[in-house]
Amino acid sequence: KVVRQVLIDPLSKKTPQIYETLANGVCNGTQSIFTSNGEFWHSRRSGMVTAFSTKHVKRMTTVASRKEDKWIEKRLLKFIEKGEAFDVF
């Protein structure tokens, strides 16, 4: 209960100046977990929290690391071996 009170407390709300660009640009003026406050934010966050558990983050890190290794071998190794500069984009 205490955590919930803190999360929905008006003093914990995001200031409009910080999130205005995000809300109007990326989110096209719609509510999202990044631009909302209070109950709407809390309900969306609650649904996502399990995806970011330690177990899942570790698994995602392992998968990402493997993909990075393959990318380096496939795309960058030839530049590295020649001592050439490369653009990662």
Side-chain angles (χ1 to χ4, degrees), residues 27-86:
C27 298
N28 297 318
T30 60
Q31 280 191 321
S32 77
I33 193 167
F34 304 108
T35 59
S36 61
N37 290 299
E39 290 292 331
F40 183 88
W41 174 84
H42 189 264
S43 68
R44 297 316 185 269
R45 184 192 177 280
S46 295
M48 294 179 59
V49 77
T50 56
F52 295 95
S53 69
T54 302
K55 174 181 151 187
H56 291 298
V57 171
K58 283 181 180 178
R59 184 183 58 79
M60 287 186 279
T61 301
T62 302
V63 170
S65 181
R66 281 190 220 131
K67 294 288 186 181
E68 290 168 3
D69 289 344
K70 286 181 182 178
W71 180 70
I72 289 169
E73 289 173 17
K74 185 177 180 180
R75 302 281 183 179
L76 302 183
L77 199 55
K78 60 186 172 188
F79 294 105
I80 294 168
E81 289 172 345
K82 294 177 184 177
E84 296 178 356
F86 53 87

